[in-house]
């Protein structure tokens, strides 16, 4: 069946990029709609953040058990499985009659993303034909940002102008999953030539990766923790502190953040990964200060500044983290190592969302923002220490 292979290696590269975009689209699709669900079913911030975190909790289960699947069966097949689960999640959200279906939909999204994300990231690295090793990490950032931006903007527009936005937003997502599945079906098979019988295995680091892995994982985790605030409570924050009820405005504001991620990602292909991690860490501190100011003064301008700076910080931190780990790993361990990185990042992201939801329900949203800012700032300081250690290690190795 030669027609199924006509896209070639370049086609596999871009199909993998589309899968990363799809993963973030599915993750962000409910974000602007959470206030509608909350009003419709009288849901508290704690319940909303638990729905959000069900995605990460599913990933936490899937990644340790199946993180090595793509190393064993090939990136293409595992991405197809992941896309199929995301399609099932879109159907679940579209027909949801109560909050239980939201939890099921988020679990399906998380399971699909857990399978697809590590495989797609590894496929980008292995099918990169540009001659620039950093381009794969940069494109991963751009792809995820594009998917998230479009999800937020379309959801906001649908909520404002389209009847039944809780249905049509997910029908659009379902159409995208079908398109991505067709693209993957047209790429070459990449099943490893030598395999052994698969079984779940603990995610372990290859020797000599501890420092590089720590720097990369903490950098990606910083991006994900800030992203958790945007995606789980960002719409509530903008609505409560600026007193706006326009879902399209909320969607555009949150979309500006992910657009900033993508625009910045286009510029990062030539920046050394460790430098990108450093800049991302420093900008994360700035974004936390802007978030606190926006919550205090409640102006659209400050929220826009928070979204833009937070997006730029995310791009530097995420791209730099992936660049560090992609440089340090070999093809035989890349899928497993990336899955372990994503596992830790998603654990911290889930903890951020659930913690903020609990604090906002028990106290105030402002208090939850203050606590989250302090904790993430502490992670930034740890990241700076690791960056210094990494730079010293590189200088010593170069002598």
């Amino acid at each position: 069946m030669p027609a199924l292979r006509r896209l070639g290696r370049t086609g596999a590269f871009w199909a993998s990029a589309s899968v990363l975009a799809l993963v973030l689209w599915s993750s962000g699709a409910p974000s602007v709609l959470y206030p509608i669900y909350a009003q419709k079913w009288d849901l508290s911030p704690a319940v909303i953040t638990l729905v959000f975190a069900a995605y990460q909790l599913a990933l936490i289960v899937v990644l340790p058990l199946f993180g090595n699947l793509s190393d064993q069966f090939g990136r293409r097949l595992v991405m197809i499985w992941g896309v199929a689960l995301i399609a099932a999640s879109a159907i679940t959200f579209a027909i949801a009659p109560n909050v239980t279906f939201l939890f099921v939909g988020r679990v399906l999204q998380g399971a699909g993303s857990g399978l697809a994300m590590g495989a797609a990231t590894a496929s980008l690295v292995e099918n990169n034909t540009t001659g620039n090793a950093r381009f794969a990490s940069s494109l991963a950032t751009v792809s995820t940002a594009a998917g998230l931006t479009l999800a937020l903007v379309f959801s906001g527009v649908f909520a404002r102008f389209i009847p039944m936005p809780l249905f049509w937003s997910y029908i659009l997502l379902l159409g995208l999953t079908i398109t991505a599945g067709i693209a993957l079906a047209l790429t070459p098979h990449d099943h490893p030539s030598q395999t052994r019988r698969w079984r779940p295995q603990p995610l372990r680091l290859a020797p000599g990766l501890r420092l590089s892995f720590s720097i990369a994982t903490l950098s990606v985790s910083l991006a994900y923790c800030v992203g958790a605030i945007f995606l789980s409570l960002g719409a509530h924050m903008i609505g409560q502190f600026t007193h706006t009820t326009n879902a399209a405005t909320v969607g555009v504001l949150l979309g500006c953040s992910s657009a900033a991620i993508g625009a910045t990602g286009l510029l990062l292909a030539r920046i050394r990964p460790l430098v990108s991690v450093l800049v991302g860490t420093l900008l994360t501190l700035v974004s936390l200060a802007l978030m606190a100011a926006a919550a205090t003064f409640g102006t659209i301008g400050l929220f826009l500044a928070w979204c833009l700076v937070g997006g730029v910080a995310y791009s530097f931190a995420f791209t730099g983290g992936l660049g560090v780990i992609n440089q340090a790993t070999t093809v035989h361990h890349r899928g497993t190592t990336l899955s372990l990185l994503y596992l830790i990042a998603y654990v911290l992201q889930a903890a951020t969302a659930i913690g903020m939801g609990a604090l906002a329900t028990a106290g105030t949203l402002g208090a939850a923002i203050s606590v989250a800012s302090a904790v993430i700032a502490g992670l930034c300081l740890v990241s700076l220490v690791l960056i210094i250690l990494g730079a010293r290690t590189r200088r010593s190795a170069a002598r």
Side-chain angles (χ1 to χ4, degrees):
M1 299 176 66
L4 294 178
R5 303 188 180 187
R6 67 177 181 270
L7 289 181
R9 188 177 173 193
T10 300
F13 179 78
W14 291 105
S16 301
S18 75
V19 170
L20 285 175
L22 178 68
V23 166
L24 267 292
W25 185 304
S26 71
S27 174
S31 294
V32 178
L33 305 176
Y34 284 141
I36 300 176
Y37 288 122
Q39 184 178 21
K40 182 178 181 180
W41 294 325
D42 192 25
L43 307 178
S44 69
V47 173
I48 290 296
T49 52
L50 280 173
V51 170
F52 173 84
Y55 176 95
Q56 288 78 11
L57 295 174
L59 279 162
I60 291 167
V61 173
V62 169
L63 287 173
L65 292 176
F66 305 107
N68 63 335
L69 271 180
S70 73
D71 291 333
Q72 182 76 9
F73 295 109
R75 318 302 185 196
R76 172 183 176 271
L77 182 59
V78 174
M79 282 189 283
I80 290 173
W81 294 342
V83 168
L85 287 174
I86 293 173
S89 79
I91 295 171
T92 303
F93 270 104
I95 64 173
N98 53 54
V99 71
T100 301
F101 274 63
L102 302 188
F103 281 105
V104 174
R106 288 296 281 175
V107 168
L108 289 170
Q109 283 181 344
S113 298
L115 291 178
M117 185 172 288
T121 306
S123 179
L124 277 181
V125 175
E126 292 155 15
N127 290 295
N128 180 12
T129 59
T130 65
N132 182 353
R134 298 171 189 162
F135 182 66
S137 299
S138 181
L139 184 62
T141 303
V142 174
S143 299
T144 54
L148 185 55
T149 300
L150 292 172
L152 295 170
V153 172
F154 271 94
S155 294
V157 170
F158 278 27
R160 180 69 176 85
F161 299 109
I162 303 295
M164 300 173 61
L166 302 183
F167 175 78
W168 289 112
S169 296
Y170 301 107
I171 295 302
L172 175 59
L173 174 59
L174 179 61
L176 294 172
T177 62
I178 294 171
T179 303
I182 292 171
L184 289 171
L186 294 173
T187 59
H189 293 277
D190 58 1
H191 193 286
S193 57
Q194 294 183 347
T195 61
R196 59 184 181 276
R197 186 175 181 180
W198 178 84
R199 61 180 180 177
Q201 295 178 350
L203 296 178
R204 295 175 180 171
L205 280 180
L209 286 180
R210 183 170 297 179
L211 181 57
S212 295
F213 179 82
S214 298
I215 293 170
T217 301
L218 187 53
S219 186
V220 173
S221 297
L222 285 174
Y224 275 22
C225 287
V226 174
I229 300 173
F230 278 103
L231 295 178
S232 64
L233 290 175
H236 280 280
M237 290 168 61
I238 295 170
Q240 178 174 322
F241 294 120
T242 67
H243 307 291
T244 182
T245 58
N246 190 323
T249 299
V250 174
V252 169
L253 277 174
L254 295 178
C256 284
S257 174
S258 50
I261 296 172
T264 306
L266 291 172
L267 307 175
L268 298 182
R270 299 187 180 278
I271 297 179
R272 287 180 296 170
L274 205 59
V275 173
S276 183
V277 170
L278 174 61
V279 174
T281 301
L282 295 175
L283 286 177
T284 298
L285 289 169
V286 175
S287 76
L288 293 173
L290 286 170
M291 180 177 67
T296 300
F297 297 104
T299 65
I300 292 289
L302 280 172
F303 272 105
L304 178 60
W306 169 53
C307 290
L308 291 174
V309 174
V312 175
Y314 183 109
S315 191
F316 272 96
F318 182 76
T319 304
L322 288 185
V324 167
I325 205 64
N326 285 337
Q327 282 185 348
T329 54
T330 63
V331 63
H332 301 295
H333 298 103
R334 187 169 287 126
T336 300
T337 305
L338 284 167
S339 293
L340 182 58
L341 179 150
Y342 283 129
L343 170 64
I344 296 171
Y346 277 119
V347 167
L348 292 175
Q349 187 183 52
T352 300
I354 294 172
M356 283 197 68
L359 289 170
T361 301
T364 65
L365 187 54
I369 291 170
S370 298
V371 173
S373 298
V375 172
I376 297 173
L379 293 177
C380 288
L381 295 178
V382 175
S383 178
L384 291 174
V385 172
L386 292 175
I387 292 167
I388 293 171
L389 291 174
R392 289 179 177 176
T393 301
R394 285 177 179 271
R395 284 198 297 267
S396 298
R399 290 174 183 170

